[in-house]
Amino acid sequence: MELDEVAGGVFWVEASHTNLVLVVDGSDVTMVDSGYPKDRGLVDVSVAEIGRSLADVQAMVLTHGHVDHKGSAERLRLDHDVTVHCHGSEVRLARGEIKQQISTWELRRAWRPTIFRFAVNAIRHGGLRPEHVTAVSTFADGEVLDVPGNPIAVFTPGHTEGHCGFYLPEKGVLISGDALVTVDLWDPERRGPQMIRRQFSYNHDQAIRSLDRFVDLDADVVVPGHGEPWRGEPREAVAMARRNA
Ligand SMILES: [Zn+2]
């Protein structure tokens, strides 16, 4: 696990392959995403590492409802009374009523050793056994969430139907989720701002258009759903991601 304070009270945590973000506001914490189901140990350790306990986690905010992002959501909801929030268009995916994820056919078609490693890691961390969230609170595009840190929802559909990034203007942080990542999951040597591979998205062209929403945000660090935080303006990250989309 890697953990770094990218701005005052905003912590990037790298679980097995997916990032989560801890936003601290006084003694309270908002957790953005939570890795795979079997990242639960790392999730709990990360909260302890920043000097908080699970009782301080007031909210979980999901960028989207894929298995590698909602891994601990239901557990924290049931065991620690954490309210789970997602965009209204993401509810069905969060609840497991629809899939919108890469098919095994797509995986087999693109087969090569680095993809094999990706798939093994996903399976080891519970990728085939998603833990769906049975009750969520919804928000809309542009809403200032009433949770610690008050992130602003930036609706960026394409990777999934209701994908959102989160903007923390006072911290100068953009949490971009899987709308813009900094590592290629199938070719981890390829780093830097980029689109997630089209095979992972339900509508790649829509995902490219959604990047417009990040361009005018004033931030100096972008924290993606996969890969390391990137220092620079969202405008620049978007230009880099578009160049090889
Ligand atoms: Zn992801």
XYZ file of all heavy atoms in Angstrom, residues 17-18 33 36 63-64 66 68-69 159 177-178 181 185 196 200 225-226, ligand 1:
153
model
N -4.627 -2.417 -6.895
C -4.485 -1.847 -8.239
C -5.278 -0.565 -8.402
O -5.222 0.085 -9.426
C -4.982 -2.853 -9.298
C -3.874 -3.580 -9.967
N -4.086 -4.463 -10.987
C -2.538 -3.553 -9.762
C -2.929 -4.965 -11.385
N -1.976 -4.438 -10.646
N -6.072 -0.264 -7.375
C -7.025 0.847 -7.470
C -6.734 1.843 -6.357
O -6.285 1.450 -5.284
C -8.466 0.312 -7.298
O -8.641 -0.818 -8.124
C -9.492 1.360 -7.667
N -14.070 6.036 -3.026
C -13.764 4.689 -3.526
C -13.085 3.825 -2.446
O -12.684 4.336 -1.388
C -12.922 4.728 -4.804
C -13.708 5.277 -5.994
O -14.942 5.371 -5.905
O -13.077 5.594 -7.015
N -10.820 -3.165 -4.349
C -11.501 -4.447 -4.524
C -12.044 -4.935 -3.167
O -11.561 -4.498 -2.111
C -10.499 -5.497 -5.024
C -10.218 -5.466 -6.506
C -9.019 -4.961 -6.998
C -11.139 -5.987 -7.414
C -8.747 -4.958 -8.363
C -10.880 -5.982 -8.776
C -9.683 -5.469 -9.247
O -9.416 -5.464 -10.586
N -16.841 7.096 -7.213
C -16.724 7.666 -8.560
C -17.606 6.861 -9.508
O -18.213 7.400 -10.410
C -15.261 7.632 -9.072
O -14.786 6.277 -9.085
C -14.358 8.486 -8.191
N -17.656 5.542 -9.276
C -18.522 4.669 -10.070
C -18.652 3.324 -9.370
O -17.982 3.069 -8.370
C -18.001 4.536 -11.510
C -16.648 3.915 -11.651
N -15.498 4.494 -11.150
C -16.252 2.759 -12.252
C -14.464 3.723 -11.445
N -14.890 2.657 -12.099
N -17.979 0.084 -10.191
C -17.245 -1.137 -10.546
C -16.709 -1.847 -9.294
O -16.425 -1.208 -8.281
C -16.072 -0.813 -11.478
C -16.477 -0.709 -12.919
N -15.751 -0.003 -13.847
C -17.537 -1.242 -13.589
C -16.347 -0.102 -15.030
N -17.435 -0.839 -14.901
N -13.893 -2.918 -8.473
C -12.595 -2.505 -7.917
C -12.643 -1.118 -7.270
O -11.602 -0.583 -6.871
C -11.493 -2.561 -8.989
C -11.819 -1.752 -10.227
O -13.019 -1.598 -10.554
O -10.879 -1.275 -10.888
N -13.827 -0.540 -7.165
C -13.949 0.769 -6.515
C -14.928 0.746 -5.337
O -14.816 1.542 -4.422
C -14.380 1.834 -7.540
C -13.350 2.065 -8.598
N -12.500 3.143 -8.606
C -12.995 1.307 -9.678
C -11.678 3.062 -9.648
N -11.958 1.951 -10.316
N -17.052 5.978 -18.980
C -16.472 4.750 -18.428
C -17.620 3.888 -17.901
O -17.678 2.680 -18.130
C -15.482 5.100 -17.329
C -14.838 3.909 -16.676
N -14.114 2.975 -17.376
C -14.842 3.485 -15.384
C -13.710 2.030 -16.540
N -14.132 2.307 -15.334
N -11.144 9.875 -10.859
C -11.688 8.525 -11.007
C -11.135 7.841 -12.247
O -9.961 8.029 -12.606
N -11.976 7.091 -12.939
C -11.517 6.394 -14.137
C -11.819 7.180 -15.418
O -11.637 6.669 -16.521
C -12.138 4.994 -14.217
C -11.484 4.038 -13.222
O -10.635 4.493 -12.425
O -11.819 2.837 -13.233
N -6.940 8.456 -16.051
C -6.048 7.682 -15.177
C -4.589 7.984 -15.535
O -4.321 8.695 -16.511
C -6.342 6.156 -15.290
C -7.765 5.854 -14.844
C -6.092 5.652 -16.704
N -3.539 -0.226 -17.198
C -3.639 -1.455 -16.401
C -3.117 -2.681 -17.146
O -2.721 -3.663 -16.530
C -5.101 -1.697 -15.990
C -5.670 -0.691 -14.985
C -7.174 -0.883 -14.843
C -4.986 -0.837 -13.633
N -8.573 5.537 -19.731
C -8.560 4.112 -19.449
C -8.867 3.395 -20.767
O -9.519 3.966 -21.644
C -9.564 3.772 -18.325
C -9.206 2.456 -17.654
C -11.013 3.785 -18.829
C -9.798 2.292 -16.261
N -12.521 -1.186 -21.289
C -13.051 -1.101 -19.925
C -14.276 -0.187 -19.828
O -14.914 -0.136 -18.775
C -11.987 -0.567 -18.964
C -10.906 -1.553 -18.632
C -9.628 -1.401 -19.126
C -11.176 -2.634 -17.807
C -8.624 -2.308 -18.803
C -10.183 -3.541 -17.484
C -8.897 -3.382 -17.990
N -8.221 7.256 -10.599
C -8.691 5.998 -10.037
C -7.641 4.901 -10.077
O -7.670 3.955 -9.280
N -6.706 5.024 -11.029
C -5.599 4.070 -11.148
C -4.340 4.856 -11.493
O -4.373 5.714 -12.368
C -5.872 3.042 -12.251
C -7.146 2.270 -12.044
N -7.203 1.136 -11.262
C -8.406 2.490 -12.494
C -8.451 0.678 -11.251
N -9.201 1.480 -11.986
Zn -11.343 1.244 -12.111
